[in-house]
Amino acid sequence: MSALLEQIAHCVEFGKINQQSPYPPDMKGQPGADELAKEALEAGIRPEEVLSGGLVVGMQKVGVKFRENKVFVPQVLMSAKSMAAAMAHLKPFFASGAIQRKGTVIIGTVAGDLHDIGKNLVSMMIEGGGWEVVDLGVDVSTEKFIESIEQYPGCILGLSALLTTTMVNMEETVREIKAKHPDTRVMIGGAPLTEDFKNSIGADYYSPDPQGAVEYLEAV
Ligand code: B1M
């Protein structure tokens, strides 16, 4: 891996957005993911290498550390911000088709549920893993999920629920999706969920954390 890609991965891992950003303090004044991604592209490094060898590597490292409780929500948010800064330079290559995403993930918090902090973290990590993410937001109806499946054929679905009361809605949503689109893979997550619950509602995968979601997507 080129030194530049290693530096980009390091910036994403530690949440260094750009040169002006004071965070993390020990990287103050140094270029961040923003400048380094631009420099890498100008140096002729292919955009897909900047993505896979820089951004994805950094996001993966922070995902593992978050799972192991070595870093917390604020650090992951800084990593996601620095990834987004670098991603801005890659966007034109996605738009032109020069870089292919791994696939599309539709994500949302189920009907009746307004909690989105965890779902947003999962969404950012999945995007950092090289997937296109369509985030439907919170309180998403079954109909809206089904419409999106039809709009993005071949997509994978990610449902989040934080309330025991909305787990019931998740069950209904999964059952209706599976009845209409049996081949669509459905991954679920959220603090009150369990592997047993996943099995009981017929979802395909349960992840307790964002990194598990990324690893599942890599494996399908
Ligand atoms: Co609410 N709330 N809340 N709340 N809230 C909880 C969840 C609760 C446990 C608090 C408590 O009583 N101790 C409780 C639920 C109890 C239960 O159902 N058993 C509760 C309640 C009761 C309520 C209300 C009903 C309160 C009321 O109005 N009486 C109400 C419901 C509103 C609604 O949704 N209809 C309500 C409202 C709210 C706020 C709006 C004030 C706010 C949400 C703001 C927002 O999200 N924008 C809020 C908050 C912040 C919380 C707590 C404090 C924190 C949740 C959170 O963000 N955690 C929470 C108590 C707690 O957890 N300490 C609580 C941090 C986040 C990073 O973790 O969301 O678990 P988490 O996500 C994790 C994993 O679960 C996983 O990865 C994430 C990152 O590690 N994950 C996935 C999540 N989704 C995934 C999807 C995947 C894979 C992994 O694949 C698709």
Side-chain angles (χ1 to χ4, degrees):
M1 189 177 30
S2 93
L4 210 43
L5 293 183
E6 271 177 38
Q7 273 179 283
I8 293 171
H10 186 82
C11 285
V12 171
E13 180 182 354
F14 292 94
K16 177 70 177 165
I17 302 169
N18 55 30
Q19 192 144 16
Q20 287 74 46
S21 167
Y23 180 86
D26 63 336
M27 291 175 79
K28 201 171 169 192
Q30 293 176 23
D34 183 3
E35 293 86 4
L36 293 171
K38 185 166 179 278
E39 190 183 329
L41 293 169
E42 283 167 0
I45 298 179
R46 288 184 296 125
E48 58 270 35
E49 286 180 69
V50 176
L51 178 68
S52 62
L55 308 190
V56 173
V57 172
M59 285 307 275
Q60 197 186 4
K61 285 188 176 168
V62 80
V64 171
K65 288 199 284 188
F66 182 64
R67 167 192 278 169
E68 294 171 350
N69 294 323
K70 290 180 179 158
V71 297
F72 300 98
V73 171
Q75 282 103 325
V76 180
L77 290 176
M78 293 310 287
S79 290
K81 279 192 175 189
S82 84
M83 180 198 75
M87 201 68 117
H89 298 288
L90 299 183
K91 285 263 150 80
F93 298 97
F94 286 116
S96 71
I99 325 181
Q100 297 293 324
R101 303 263 199 187
K102 292 175 181 167
T104 303
V105 177
I106 311 279
I107 194 164
T109 305
V110 298
D113 201 321
L114 302 177
H115 296 85
D116 67 356
I117 298 169
K119 183 265 296 168
N120 292 345
L121 283 181
V122 174
S123 169
M124 290 172 205
M125 291 297 302
I126 291 175
E127 191 183 8
W131 294 76
E132 179 176 6
V133 176
V134 178
D135 190 339
L136 302 179
V138 296
D139 189 18
V140 181
S141 65
T142 303
E143 295 70 35
K144 181 80 191 151
F145 278 119
I146 289 178
E147 253 173 50
S148 302
I149 294 171
E150 289 162 3
Q151 202 180 339
Y152 298 93
C155 66
I156 298 175
L157 229 62
L159 310 187
S160 180
L162 259 288
L163 299 170
T164 42
T165 47
T166 58
M167 286 168 69
V168 183
N169 301 343
M170 177 180 266
E171 174 168 9
E172 205 178 296
T173 298
V174 173
R175 289 205 194 287
E176 285 193 36
I177 287 169
K178 287 291 181 183
K180 225 170 172 194
H181 297 282
D183 296 336
T184 300
R185 289 194 181 87
V186 182
M187 163 172 67
I188 61 167
L193 311 192
T194 61
E195 184 70 20
D196 283 349
F197 176 69
K198 176 223 72 176
N199 293 332
S200 74
I201 68 171
D204 296 285
Y205 191 74
Y206 158 67
S207 174
D209 55 42
Q211 188 57 26
V214 173
E215 287 169 8
Y216 169 67
L217 293 170
E218 283 302 315
V220 291

